[in-house]
Amino acid sequence: MTMRTSFDHELKVLNEELTEMGTKVVNTIEETLMAFQENDQKLATKIIRGDREVDEMERTIESRCLNLMLRQQPVAKDLRHISMALKVVTDLERIGDHAADIAELVLHLDDKGSEFILPVLPDMVASVKEMLQMAIDAFIRKDVLLARKVEKQDDVVDDYFNQVKKDVASFIQNEGNADKAVDLLMIAKYLERIADHAVNVCEWTEFHDTGEVKNHRIL
């Protein structure tokens, strides 16, 4: 096996690991949102315990990326690919952390429907879920057009979050249940952060194609 053939094989394995981690994170988010919407305490506990698996995936991929850079001599295009992987894996890990954060808050909530308190929250949940799935699809397929579509959708999630803040303020003023309202606000904040990380994944997907991030050339 030549050096280049070996390198290409390692890149293929890297892509497979990234795809597996992306799929794992999307599935975890789907379970987290289900746990939240259905107040499923057992599922929330399972998500919290499973966060270690995502962390282990991150460490494995980071190690592979560093070995590729140190042991091989990647050309510019290859270096761009590896750099993208290092950035994306960090965002995926943070999304996994936020899933666990939401699951921990689910354990504190009672069975009152959150949509009664914050009517816009189910729409925000659906939008964030769609953004993340599209971002992972764009990343796996290196689809720059889809990545840009996801980035534009972030404004929608920001609008939802702003409405959630207004709903929380109104709920506290009228009902006085500050603890529950703050927990729901934190869930909305974690959802907004997940959307931000989805945008980051899209920006690094574009970087793989252009060498630019936010219109600044890096590599």
Side-chain angles (χ1 to χ4, degrees), residues 76 80 206-219:
R80 188 186 296 172
E206 290 187 58
F207 165 79
H208 181 270
D209 186 62
T210 65
E212 296 181 354
V213 177
K214 299 183 187 296
N215 296 320
H216 293 289
R217 186 160 191 84
I218 297 178
L219 184 64

PDB file of all heavy atoms in Angstrom, residues 76 80 206-219:
ATOM      1  N   ALA A  76      -2.816  20.899   0.517  1.00  0.00           N
ATOM      2  CA  ALA A  76      -3.740  21.932   0.997  1.00  0.00           C
ATOM      3  C   ALA A  76      -5.182  21.433   1.089  1.00  0.00           C
ATOM      4  O   ALA A  76      -5.873  21.677   2.083  1.00  0.00           O
ATOM      5  CB  ALA A  76      -3.655  23.153   0.098  1.00  0.00           C
ATOM      6  N   ARG A  80      -7.390  21.037   4.486  1.00  0.00           N
ATOM      7  CA  ARG A  80      -8.692  21.700   4.642  1.00  0.00           C
ATOM      8  C   ARG A  80      -9.731  20.705   5.152  1.00  0.00           C
ATOM      9  O   ARG A  80     -10.533  21.012   6.035  1.00  0.00           O
ATOM     10  CB  ARG A  80      -9.111  22.274   3.284  1.00  0.00           C
ATOM     11  CG  ARG A  80     -10.352  23.141   3.339  1.00  0.00           C
ATOM     12  CD  ARG A  80     -10.781  23.553   1.942  1.00  0.00           C
ATOM     13  NE  ARG A  80      -9.778  24.390   1.276  1.00  0.00           N
ATOM     14  CZ  ARG A  80      -9.826  24.750   0.012  1.00  0.00           C
ATOM     15  NH1 ARG A  80     -10.834  24.318  -0.754  1.00  0.00           N
ATOM     16  NH2 ARG A  80      -8.894  25.506  -0.517  1.00  0.00           N
ATOM     17  N   GLU A 206     -19.016  24.703   4.065  1.00  0.00           N
ATOM     18  CA  GLU A 206     -18.642  25.642   3.009  1.00  0.00           C
ATOM     19  C   GLU A 206     -17.128  25.810   2.947  1.00  0.00           C
ATOM     20  O   GLU A 206     -16.545  25.914   1.857  1.00  0.00           O
ATOM     21  CB  GLU A 206     -19.310  26.997   3.249  1.00  0.00           C
ATOM     22  CG  GLU A 206     -20.803  27.007   3.029  1.00  0.00           C
ATOM     23  CD  GLU A 206     -21.382  28.405   3.109  1.00  0.00           C
ATOM     24  OE1 GLU A 206     -20.949  29.271   2.334  1.00  0.00           O
ATOM     25  OE2 GLU A 206     -22.255  28.639   3.968  1.00  0.00           O
ATOM     26  N   PHE A 207     -16.489  25.834   4.100  1.00  0.00           N
ATOM     27  CA  PHE A 207     -15.026  25.969   4.156  1.00  0.00           C
ATOM     28  C   PHE A 207     -14.347  24.837   3.391  1.00  0.00           C
ATOM     29  O   PHE A 207     -13.354  25.052   2.688  1.00  0.00           O
ATOM     30  CB  PHE A 207     -14.570  25.966   5.620  1.00  0.00           C
ATOM     31  CG  PHE A 207     -13.089  25.746   5.813  1.00  0.00           C
ATOM     32  CD1 PHE A 207     -12.194  26.779   5.616  1.00  0.00           C
ATOM     33  CD2 PHE A 207     -12.598  24.505   6.206  1.00  0.00           C
ATOM     34  CE1 PHE A 207     -10.825  26.579   5.793  1.00  0.00           C
ATOM     35  CE2 PHE A 207     -11.244  24.294   6.387  1.00  0.00           C
ATOM     36  CZ  PHE A 207     -10.355  25.340   6.180  1.00  0.00           C
ATOM     37  N   HIS A 208     -14.892  23.628   3.509  1.00  0.00           N
ATOM     38  CA  HIS A 208     -14.322  22.490   2.790  1.00  0.00           C
ATOM     39  C   HIS A 208     -14.308  22.743   1.290  1.00  0.00           C
ATOM     40  O   HIS A 208     -13.389  22.326   0.583  1.00  0.00           O
ATOM     41  CB  HIS A 208     -15.126  21.230   3.112  1.00  0.00           C
ATOM     42  CG  HIS A 208     -14.618  19.992   2.440  1.00  0.00           C
ATOM     43  ND1 HIS A 208     -15.056  19.592   1.197  1.00  0.00           N
ATOM     44  CD2 HIS A 208     -13.681  19.074   2.826  1.00  0.00           C
ATOM     45  CE1 HIS A 208     -14.434  18.478   0.845  1.00  0.00           C
ATOM     46  NE2 HIS A 208     -13.602  18.135   1.816  1.00  0.00           N
ATOM     47  N   ASP A 209     -15.314  23.467   0.808  1.00  0.00           N
ATOM     48  CA  ASP A 209     -15.442  23.718  -0.626  1.00  0.00           C
ATOM     49  C   ASP A 209     -14.669  24.964  -1.067  1.00  0.00           C
ATOM     50  O   ASP A 209     -14.101  24.991  -2.165  1.00  0.00           O
ATOM     51  CB  ASP A 209     -16.923  23.884  -0.985  1.00  0.00           C
ATOM     52  CG  ASP A 209     -17.159  24.010  -2.483  1.00  0.00           C
ATOM     53  OD1 ASP A 209     -16.840  23.048  -3.203  1.00  0.00           O
ATOM     54  OD2 ASP A 209     -17.644  25.060  -2.915  1.00  0.00           O
ATOM     55  N   THR A 210     -14.642  25.990  -0.211  1.00  0.00           N
ATOM     56  CA  THR A 210     -14.112  27.296  -0.624  1.00  0.00           C
ATOM     57  C   THR A 210     -12.826  27.718   0.079  1.00  0.00           C
ATOM     58  O   THR A 210     -12.106  28.597  -0.400  1.00  0.00           O
ATOM     59  CB  THR A 210     -15.161  28.391  -0.372  1.00  0.00           C
ATOM     60  OG1 THR A 210     -15.388  28.502   1.051  1.00  0.00           O
ATOM     61  CG2 THR A 210     -16.474  28.053  -1.066  1.00  0.00           C
ATOM     62  N   GLY A 211     -12.557  27.125   1.245  1.00  0.00           N
ATOM     63  CA  GLY A 211     -11.414  27.576   2.045  1.00  0.00           C
ATOM     64  C   GLY A 211     -11.708  28.856   2.807  1.00  0.00           C
ATOM     65  O   GLY A 211     -10.816  29.443   3.425  1.00  0.00           O
ATOM     66  N   GLU A 212     -12.999  29.276   2.798  1.00  0.00           N
ATOM     67  CA  GLU A 212     -13.394  30.520   3.457  1.00  0.00           C
ATOM     68  C   GLU A 212     -14.410  30.251   4.565  1.00  0.00           C
ATOM     69  O   GLU A 212     -15.226  29.333   4.468  1.00  0.00           O
ATOM     70  CB  GLU A 212     -14.007  31.494   2.453  1.00  0.00           C
ATOM     71  CG  GLU A 212     -13.039  31.965   1.371  1.00  0.00           C
ATOM     72  CD  GLU A 212     -13.686  32.950   0.410  1.00  0.00           C
ATOM     73  OE1 GLU A 212     -14.917  33.168   0.539  1.00  0.00           O
ATOM     74  OE2 GLU A 212     -12.972  33.488  -0.443  1.00  0.00           O
ATOM     75  N   VAL A 213     -14.339  31.081   5.613  1.00  0.00           N
ATOM     76  CA  VAL A 213     -15.330  31.067   6.680  1.00  0.00           C
ATOM     77  C   VAL A 213     -15.790  32.494   6.906  1.00  0.00           C
ATOM     78  O   VAL A 213     -14.955  33.392   7.129  1.00  0.00           O
ATOM     79  CB  VAL A 213     -14.759  30.484   7.995  1.00  0.00           C
ATOM     80  CG1 VAL A 213     -15.814  30.565   9.103  1.00  0.00           C
ATOM     81  CG2 VAL A 213     -14.327  29.044   7.797  1.00  0.00           C
ATOM     82  N   LYS A 214     -17.099  32.721   6.804  1.00  0.00           N
ATOM     83  CA  LYS A 214     -17.659  34.071   6.948  1.00  0.00           C
ATOM     84  C   LYS A 214     -16.967  35.053   5.990  1.00  0.00           C
ATOM     85  O   LYS A 214     -16.588  36.164   6.369  1.00  0.00           O
ATOM     86  CB  LYS A 214     -17.534  34.558   8.395  1.00  0.00           C
ATOM     87  CG  LYS A 214     -18.270  33.701   9.421  1.00  0.00           C
ATOM     88  CD  LYS A 214     -18.156  34.294  10.801  1.00  0.00           C
ATOM     89  CE  LYS A 214     -18.747  33.349  11.848  1.00  0.00           C
ATOM     90  NZ  LYS A 214     -20.179  33.129  11.683  1.00  0.00           N
ATOM     91  N   ASN A 215     -16.767  34.604   4.761  1.00  0.00           N
ATOM     92  CA  ASN A 215     -16.168  35.429   3.691  1.00  0.00           C
ATOM     93  C   ASN A 215     -14.698  35.800   3.933  1.00  0.00           C
ATOM     94  O   ASN A 215     -14.166  36.704   3.287  1.00  0.00           O
ATOM     95  CB  ASN A 215     -16.990  36.712   3.478  1.00  0.00           C
ATOM     96  CG  ASN A 215     -18.392  36.424   2.996  1.00  0.00           C
ATOM     97  OD1 ASN A 215     -18.609  35.542   2.165  1.00  0.00           O
ATOM     98  ND2 ASN A 215     -19.372  37.146   3.533  1.00  0.00           N
ATOM     99  N   HIS A 216     -14.051  35.115   4.868  1.00  0.00           N
ATOM    100  CA  HIS A 216     -12.623  35.319   5.109  1.00  0.00           C
ATOM    101  C   HIS A 216     -11.877  34.050   4.688  1.00  0.00           C
ATOM    102  O   HIS A 216     -12.183  32.960   5.191  1.00  0.00           O
ATOM    103  CB  HIS A 216     -12.343  35.635   6.580  1.00  0.00           C
ATOM    104  CG  HIS A 216     -12.901  36.943   7.024  1.00  0.00           C
ATOM    105  ND1 HIS A 216     -12.374  38.157   6.618  1.00  0.00           N
ATOM    106  CD2 HIS A 216     -13.967  37.245   7.818  1.00  0.00           C
ATOM    107  CE1 HIS A 216     -13.077  39.144   7.171  1.00  0.00           C
ATOM    108  NE2 HIS A 216     -14.054  38.604   7.891  1.00  0.00           N
ATOM    109  N   ARG A 217     -10.908  34.205   3.807  1.00  0.00           N
ATOM    110  CA  ARG A 217     -10.155  33.043   3.353  1.00  0.00           C
ATOM    111  C   ARG A 217      -9.184  32.602   4.442  1.00  0.00           C
ATOM    112  O   ARG A 217      -8.399  33.408   4.966  1.00  0.00           O
ATOM    113  CB  ARG A 217      -9.396  33.350   2.054  1.00  0.00           C
ATOM    114  CG  ARG A 217      -8.724  32.100   1.476  1.00  0.00           C
ATOM    115  CD  ARG A 217      -8.403  32.243   0.003  1.00  0.00           C
ATOM    116  NE  ARG A 217      -8.022  30.979  -0.568  1.00  0.00           N
ATOM    117  CZ  ARG A 217      -8.872  30.067  -1.009  1.00  0.00           C
ATOM    118  NH1 ARG A 217     -10.168  30.297  -0.976  1.00  0.00           N
ATOM    119  NH2 ARG A 217      -8.458  28.910  -1.519  1.00  0.00           N
ATOM    120  N   ILE A 218      -9.238  31.318   4.787  1.00  0.00           N
ATOM    121  CA  ILE A 218      -8.357  30.771   5.817  1.00  0.00           C
ATOM    122  C   ILE A 218      -7.332  29.825   5.233  1.00  0.00           C
ATOM    123  O   ILE A 218      -6.154  29.856   5.585  1.00  0.00           O
ATOM    124  CB  ILE A 218      -9.204  30.015   6.875  1.00  0.00           C
ATOM    125  CG1 ILE A 218     -10.161  31.004   7.567  1.00  0.00           C
ATOM    126  CG2 ILE A 218      -8.314  29.345   7.913  1.00  0.00           C
ATOM    127  CD1 ILE A 218     -11.071  30.351   8.578  1.00  0.00           C
ATOM    128  N   LEU A 219      -7.781  28.952   4.313  1.00  0.00           N
ATOM    129  CA  LEU A 219      -6.864  27.937   3.766  1.00  0.00           C
ATOM    130  C   LEU A 219      -7.256  27.629   2.318  1.00  0.00           C
ATOM    131  O   LEU A 219      -8.425  27.439   2.028  1.00  0.00           O
ATOM    132  CB  LEU A 219      -6.948  26.655   4.606  1.00  0.00           C
ATOM    133  CG  LEU A 219      -5.997  25.533   4.254  1.00  0.00           C
ATOM    134  CD1 LEU A 219      -4.550  25.961   4.474  1.00  0.00           C
ATOM    135  CD2 LEU A 219      -6.302  24.298   5.105  1.00  0.00           C
TER     136      LEU A 219
END
